[in-house]
């Protein structure tokens, strides 16, 4: 294709009638640069996806273990003490039911935030690509004179390199990947500590003798409050995750806005340079 265009240009340009080759060449080189930039984004997106999947798997392994412990342990306690501690045990079991539901809500919240983040980044990427394609199309529409072609040739390298900025989207993803890796241990520790708290709370029942109703009553009155506090801390962990992804989304949007502004300025500067070259100010 390029060889054919070169031959055509040689034949046409000799007579001064064909002036499209330089614009087509710039556009073609620009598309190649765009392809290279998008290929650089792909590994970053894969790494981000891997980090998210690893985090989700790790979180759910420890959450499933925690939920299993709570359900089995408190089911056994309810079986043994339900007759004497109806009110307090019902409240505790109800709280555990709420926690099981909140796990699903927490997952939905985090997942929807991740989807929104990626959607926003894809939208920004597409918007920039559309702007570049519009710019390259405008070059072709201006190829009506030898002067215009000469101006395009003079700025060809800069024009073709405009899509280089697209690769900066990979940096946004790399920062988010690093963030997931950094805060995951903290979240896992929060969940693990909650199980430690629950184990300690259950162990306190052993301090009551089987004949001490006063001790047992005091235990079950207090355990509701302690379990509530533990489940609140678990909800805080979910809120932390959701907030972390929300902040990541805000960073991504800001990153995309900066890239878009950078690309717009590059195009505007080249447009100005082309205009001055084609229509230089008179002395």
């Amino acid at each position: 294709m390029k060889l054919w265009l070169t031959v055509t240009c040689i034949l046409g340009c000799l007579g001064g009638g064909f002036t499209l080759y330089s614009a087509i060449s710039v556009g073609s080189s620009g598309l190649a640069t765009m392809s290279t930039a998008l290929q650089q984004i792909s590994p970053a997106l894969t790494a981000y996806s891997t980090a998210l999947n690893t985090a989700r798997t790790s979180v759910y392994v420890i959450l499933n273990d925690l939920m299993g412990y709570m359900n089995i342990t408190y089911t056994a306690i309810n079986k043994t003490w339900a007759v004497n501690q109806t009110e307090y045990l019902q409240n505790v079991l109800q709280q555990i039911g709420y926690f099981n539901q909140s796990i699903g809500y927490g997952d939905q919240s985090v997942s929807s935030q991740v989807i929104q983040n990626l959607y926003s980044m894809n939208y920004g990427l597409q918007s920039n690509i559309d702007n570049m394609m519009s710019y390259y199309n405008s070059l072709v529409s201006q190829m009506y004179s030898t002067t215009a072609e000469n101006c395009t040739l003079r700025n060809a390298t800069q024009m073709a390199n405009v899509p280089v900025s697209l690769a900066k989207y990979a940096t946004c993803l790399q920062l988010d990947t690093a963030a997931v890796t950094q805060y995951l241990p903290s979240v896992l520790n929060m969940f693990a500590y909650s199980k430690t708290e629950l184990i300690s709370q259950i162990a306190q029942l052993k301090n009551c003798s089987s004949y001490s109703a006063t001790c047992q009553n005091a235990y079950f009155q207090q355990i509701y409050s302690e379990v509530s506090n533990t489940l609140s801390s678990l909800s805080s962990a979910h809120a932390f995750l959701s907030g972390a992804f929300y902040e990541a989304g805000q960073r991504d949007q800001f990153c995309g806005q900066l890239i878009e502004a950078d690309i717009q300025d590059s195009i505007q500067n080249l447009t100005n340079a082309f205009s001055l070259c084609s229509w230089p100010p008179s002395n």
Side-chain angles (χ1 to χ4, degrees), residues 216-261:
Q216 294 162 16
N217 289 338
Y219 173 81
F220 283 105
Q221 289 177 22
Q222 181 64 27
I223 195 65
Y224 169 74
S225 176
E226 292 189 12
V227 171
S228 296
N229 291 336
T230 298
L231 299 186
S232 293
S233 66
L234 290 171
S235 297
S236 297
H238 267 118
F240 171 78
L241 276 175
S242 181
F245 281 110
Y246 174 78
E247 291 175 1
Q250 294 299 300
R251 288 196 303 272
D252 288 343
Q253 289 185 25
F254 184 54
C255 184
Q257 289 169 358
L258 292 177
I259 294 171
E260 183 173 5

Side-chain angles (χ1 to χ4, degrees), residues 30-195:
L31 288 175
T33 304
M34 191 179 298
S35 175
T36 301
L38 293 176
Q39 288 174 1
Q40 293 176 17
I41 297 174
S42 179
L45 184 59
T46 299
Y48 183 49
S49 174
T50 300
L52 289 176
N53 287 330
T54 299
R56 182 171 184 171
T57 300
S58 300
V59 167
Y60 271 84
V61 166
I62 197 168
L63 279 179
N64 286 334
D65 176 64
L66 178 60
M67 291 168 64
Y69 173 80
M70 286 195 297
N71 292 331
I72 292 173
T73 301
Y74 282 97
T75 297
I77 289 177
N78 186 53
K79 183 178 180 180
T80 303
W81 301 95
V83 176
N84 298 326
Q85 302 293 337
T86 303
E87 178 183 356
Y88 295 111
L89 272 177
Q90 282 183 346
N91 290 336
V92 170
L93 293 174
Q94 187 178 45
Q95 283 277 34
I96 293 173
Y98 290 153
F99 170 69
N100 291 344
Q101 292 178 1
S102 73
I103 297 299
Y105 296 148
D107 179 50
Q108 292 176 8
S109 175
V110 172
S111 296
S112 64
Q113 192 62 61
V114 171
I115 292 171
Q116 181 61 39
N117 293 356
L118 293 178
Y119 171 80
S120 296
M121 179 168 288
N122 286 338
Y123 179 82
L125 187 62
Q126 183 63 57
S127 177
N128 279 316
I129 291 174
D130 290 345
N131 288 339
M132 291 176 189
M133 294 302 298
S134 176
Y135 173 64
Y136 289 134
N137 286 335
S138 72
L139 285 181
V140 176
S141 69
Q142 297 179 69
M143 291 298 104
Y144 50 79
S145 68
T146 303
T147 300
E149 179 166 335
N150 290 337
C151 292
T152 301
L153 289 172
R154 181 179 302 178
N155 297 285
T157 300
Q158 295 92 324
M159 290 174 170
N161 284 339
V162 170
V164 168
S165 296
L166 291 176
K168 296 175 183 177
Y169 276 99
T171 303
C172 305
L173 289 167
Q174 289 165 356
L175 292 173
D176 285 345
T177 302
V180 172
T181 304
Q182 289 173 359
Y183 61 64
L184 177 60
S186 298
V187 174
L188 295 179
N189 286 336
M190 292 170 72
F191 289 134
Y193 181 69
S194 295
K195 182 178 180 180

Side-chain angles (χ1 to χ4, degrees), residues 128 131 259-269:
N128 279 316
N131 288 339
I259 294 171
E260 183 173 5
D262 188 63
I263 290 172
Q264 288 177 345
D265 278 352
S266 295
I267 291 176
Q268 186 59 51
N269 290 338

